[in-house]
């Protein structure tokens, strides 16, 4: 499920923000303006590296009212499955890429009295697209960005345009020096918390908030990538009558797509559930944030974008 | 006619403290917490309780204790609601609000909670006491209290109104619509349903 036809986008410029962080700015390849994106929205880029096709989702960091360009920030990950390395090393200004129209699985709650934003590392990206929207609404908010010491100045610079008169703080000491429980326990009624970052941070925010009495409906998290690879295995697509090999650095979804099957997907990060597929046979190594503990234990469904087989073979109803 | 099969008709359950909550505030529109308002085995001391004495002589609450087991007494419902607004404005996440009493009381408390930012997950209500309804004339916007009959004459525009089960949480009232709109003058006998 993606909204409408995909877009052809041209790389306008690439700015190196830090040794492993680059900002890519895109413009419509055929002129005109982009559709208005939702705040907190992401786009999916189709990256063609030789014969290999990767589809990666990236949060938009440009303002929702900005339609002349879309900006994303990409971290070069050491354990990259290929997408970030391809963007960092092979994509140059002037290149044209295919991009799915922006969608948001991480919307701002319209009834919130206050928005508490917590980012960890590159998890700052969806929060950056919230800021102009929150400013435009005149909404009350507070932002805390956790970072390693060396990257703190980079995040300070990214946040600087919004910082005047606002509660925006970058914590260069990372999690250890950050009083999460203190922050969550002093928030007024009607606050919604949004967290994006490593799983450990998102789990800590979710668990701490729940222990302090926050209802589930006011805790929002956006997961990204981080699925990593694993041992290769074979996936049998029963309905299509074909078998595909899933490589070490490839996701199950990518292997299915490489075989020419148009499988459902949306976030490609284990968050939305769009790629949920029935499992007929085989054990699943669940790596998503979507399925309930019972569903995971049941072993009859898999999110193909992040999860893998625990054994040599997985039979899917696809 | 008492069950019109309308989904907006609120349903209620006896109150038990939400184990996920950090602090529990229970407001009631009488002098005591009615036993039938609480789930089996739940003691009022699990809550900070606010009651309404409906009289001028109430004990002063010099020490403003805000903890489970504390009881604060108010002269009237408006007195309690005014304090509730102030209290919620300075509360932090983790509070749960509970109310026990008549429906107009419950849903006025709900409105105060919702305006303070509480979601439905953070509030719970038990209906005890009179069944009398607050109704809202959809034609002239007049609100009438204590309606006990299936049909009532609007105090604002004089229309004979059918009291529906259609409930507005925003207005904390049941919707009432003109019953003889199609055949003027054809008004069935009113039945005593909500006493």
């Amino acid at each position: 499920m993606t909204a409408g036809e995909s877009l052809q986008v041209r790389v306008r410029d690439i700015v190196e923000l830090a040794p492993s962080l680059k900002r890519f700015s895109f413009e419509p390849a055929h002129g005109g303006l982009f559709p208005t994106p939702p705040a907190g929205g992401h786009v999916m880029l189709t990256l063609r590296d030789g014969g290999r096709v990767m589809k990666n989702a990236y949060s938009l960091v440009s303002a929702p009212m900005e339609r002349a360009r879309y900006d994303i920030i990409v971290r070069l990950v050491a354990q990259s499955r290929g997408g970030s390395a391809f963007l960092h090393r092979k994509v140059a200004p002037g290149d044209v890429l295919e991009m799915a129209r922006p969608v948001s699985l991480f919307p701002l709650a319209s009834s919130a009295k206050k928005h508490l934003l917590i980012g960890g590392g590159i998890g700052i990206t969806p929060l950056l697209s919230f800021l102009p929207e929150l400013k435009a609404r005149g909404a009350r908010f507070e932002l805390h960005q956790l970072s390693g010491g060396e990257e703190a100045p980079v995040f300070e610079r990214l946040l600087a345009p919004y910082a005047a008169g606002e509660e925006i703080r970058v914590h260069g000491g990372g999690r250890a020096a950050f009083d999460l429980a203190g922050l969550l326990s002093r928030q007024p009624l009607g606050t919604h918390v949004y967290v994006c970052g490593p799983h450990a941070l998102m789990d800590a925010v979710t668990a701490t908030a729940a222990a302090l009495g926050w209802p589930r409906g006011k805790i929002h998290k956006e997961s990204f990538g981080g699925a990593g690879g694993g041992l290769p295995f074979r996936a049998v697509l029963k309905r299509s009558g074909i078998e595909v090999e899933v490589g070490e650095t490839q996701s199950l979804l990518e292997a299915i797509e490489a075989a020419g099957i148009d499988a459902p997907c949306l976030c490609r990060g284990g968050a939305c559930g769009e790629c949920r597929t029935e499992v007929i046979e085989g054990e699943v190594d669940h790596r998503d944030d979507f399925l309930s503990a019972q569903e995971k234990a049941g072993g009859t469904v898999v999110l193909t974008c992040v999860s893998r087989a625990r054994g040599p073979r997985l039979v899917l109803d696809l | 006619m008492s069950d019109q099969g309308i989904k907006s008709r609120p349903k209620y359950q006896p109150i038990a403290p939400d184990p996920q909550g950090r602090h529990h505030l229970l407001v009631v529109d009488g002098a005591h917490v009615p036993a039938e308002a609480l789930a089996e085995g739940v003691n009022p001391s699990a809550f900070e309780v606010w009651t309404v004495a409906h009289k001028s002589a109430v004990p002063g609450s010099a020490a403003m204790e805000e903890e489970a087991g504390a009881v604060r007494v108010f002269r009237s419902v408006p007195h309690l609601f005014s304090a509730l607004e102030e209290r919620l404005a300075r509360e932090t996440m983790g509070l749960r609000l509970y109310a026990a009493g008549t429906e107009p009381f419950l849903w006025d408390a709900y409105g105060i909670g919702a305006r303070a930012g509480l979601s439905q997950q953070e509030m719970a209500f038990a209906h005890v006491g009179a069944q009398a309804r607050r109704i809202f004339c959809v034609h002239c916007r007049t609100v009438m209290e204590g309606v006990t009959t299936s049909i009532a004459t609007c105090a604002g525009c004089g229309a004979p109104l059918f009291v529906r089960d259609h409930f507005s949480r925003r207005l904390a009232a049941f919707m009432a619509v003109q019953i003889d709109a199609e055949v003027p003058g054809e008004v069935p006998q009113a039945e005593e349903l909500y006493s």
Side-chain angles (χ1 to χ4, degrees):
Chain A
M1 188 192 96
T2 33
E5 257 178 65
S6 55
L7 308 165
Q8 296 297 312
V9 304
R10 177 178 292 111
V11 181
R12 241 167 84 127
D13 55 58
I14 302 171
V15 177
E16 184 167 323
L17 304 171
S20 71
L21 291 176
K22 281 185 177 176
R23 178 167 56 210
F24 294 79
S25 189
F26 302 100
E27 61 193 3
H30 307 298
L33 293 171
F34 282 130
T36 302
H42 69 262
V43 294
M44 189 169 72
L45 283 173
T46 301
L47 306 169
R48 295 172 201 282
D49 187 11
R52 186 166 175 206
V53 180
M54 292 163 286
K55 292 185 178 180
N56 282 22
Y58 297 97
S59 296
L60 287 177
V61 299
S62 38
M65 39 291 237
E66 174 62 76
R67 295 179 56 200
R69 50 163 237 271
Y70 282 168
D71 294 350
I72 62 171
I73 297 177
V74 180
R75 180 189 291 287
L76 177 61
V77 190
Q79 301 296 317
S80 169
R81 291 183 303 107
S84 71
F86 177 78
L87 278 163
H88 267 255
R89 298 192 179 122
K90 298 194 178 167
V91 170
D95 287 358
V96 172
L97 301 173
E98 183 185 338
M99 175 190 277
R101 287 162 190 263
V103 290
S104 179
L105 299 167
F106 196 46
L108 287 165
S110 56
S111 61
K113 293 282 171 186
K114 178 181 173 181
H115 306 269
L116 175 64
L117 315 178
I118 302 176
I122 191 66
I124 193 174
T125 53
L127 308 185
L128 284 172
S129 84
F130 281 157
L131 293 174
E133 178 71 13
L134 290 168
K135 286 272 199 184
R137 289 187 194 180
R140 182 176 174 199
F141 70 91
E142 182 174 345
L143 183 148
H144 295 267
Q145 170 66 22
L146 280 66
S147 142
E150 70 288 354
E151 281 186 345
V154 178
F155 296 129
E156 298 270 11
R157 274 199 300 280
L158 290 170
L159 293 166
Y162 312 102
E166 301 291 354
E167 286 183 271
I168 293 181
R169 288 197 51 201
V170 176
H171 302 264
R175 278 276 301 290
F178 179 59
D179 180 12
L180 179 60
L183 177 70
L184 290 169
S185 64
R186 64 171 179 266
Q187 296 305 317
L189 284 190
T191 304
H192 283 242
V193 64
Y194 309 82
V195 58
C196 184
H199 279 283
L201 174 66
M202 295 199 296
D203 291 347
V205 169
T206 307
T208 308
L212 289 168
W214 289 58
R216 280 225 47 92
K218 288 179 174 169
I219 306 170
H220 313 274
K221 53 182 182 171
E222 169 90 321
S223 34
F224 56 88
L231 292 174
F233 62 98
R234 175 178 289 257
V236 180
L237 313 185
K238 195 138 195 189
R239 265 192 283 145
S240 313
I242 58 170
E243 302 194 1
V244 298
E245 293 295 332
V246 184
E248 280 179 39
T249 61
Q250 199 179 21
S251 72
L252 174 55
L253 177 62
E254 285 166 349
I256 294 169
E257 286 172 337
I261 306 291
D262 191 18
C265 73
L266 183 57
C267 75
R268 305 184 79 91
C272 75
E274 183 71 17
C275 65
R276 176 192 174 112
T277 302
E278 302 293 321
V279 174
I280 298 168
E281 204 184 309
E283 200 183 339
V284 181
D285 175 9
H286 293 285
R287 299 179 178 187
D288 63 272
D289 295 310
F290 179 81
L291 296 175
S292 67
Q294 292 97 306
E295 286 174 310
K296 286 180 182 174
T300 59
V301 285
V302 61
L303 297 199
T304 60
C305 66
V306 293
S307 298
R308 307 179 68 84
R310 205 179 278 288
R313 191 161 171 273
L314 209 54
V315 182
L316 303 176
D317 184 20
L318 196 71
Chain B
M1 212 191 299
S2 58
D3 180 5
Q4 301 167 14
I6 289 177
K7 287 179 181 161
S8 65
R9 175 80 182 95
K11 293 188 175 71
Y12 305 95
Q13 288 197 326
I15 291 167
D18 175 2
Q20 306 295 320
R22 181 158 54 142
H23 185 73
H24 307 275
L25 175 59
L26 169 62
V27 299
V28 297
D29 66 356
H32 305 283
V33 179
E36 66 268 36
L38 301 181
E40 213 175 307
V42 173
N43 195 290
S45 64
F47 307 86
E48 177 189 344
V49 177
W50 288 11
T51 63
V52 175
H54 291 291
K55 58 186 183 189
S56 61
V58 296
S61 44
M64 296 270 285
E65 284 183 58
E66 296 181 350
E67 56 194 38
V71 178
R72 200 169 154 195
V73 185
F74 294 85
R75 290 177 165 218
S76 65
V77 169
H79 187 207
L80 182 151
F81 281 158
S82 145
L84 183 60
E85 278 177 12
E86 288 170 25
R87 171 66 179 277
L88 296 183
R90 60 179 172 78
E91 264 296 339
T92 52
M93 290 295 291
L95 178 92
R96 295 293 183 275
L97 177 66
Y98 310 84
T102 61
E103 281 190 293
F105 176 80
L106 302 184
W107 294 98
D108 282 343
Y110 167 87
I112 291 169
R115 282 191 293 280
L118 288 171
S119 60
Q120 292 198 24
Q121 284 179 293
E122 296 161 282
M123 297 188 272
F125 306 99
H127 179 193
V128 291
Q131 300 289 319
R133 294 182 167 190
R134 174 189 289 163
I135 67 168
F136 176 82
C137 172
V138 303
H139 310 286
C140 81
R141 317 282 188 264
T142 294
V143 172
M144 291 165 63
E145 299 283 351
V147 174
T148 60
T149 49
S150 59
I151 294 166
T153 302
C154 179
C157 66
L161 299 173
F162 173 58
V163 178
R164 285 166 52 87
D165 270 355
H166 178 179
F167 186 78
S168 163
R169 284 157 171 75
R170 183 176 66 85
L171 299 168
F174 288 90
M175 300 296 97
V177 298
Q178 184 153 3
I179 197 163
D180 65 344
E182 289 177 15
V183 188
E186 193 174 291
V187 179
Q189 188 73 37
E191 289 177 67
E192 187 79 14
L193 291 178
Y194 312 119
S195 46

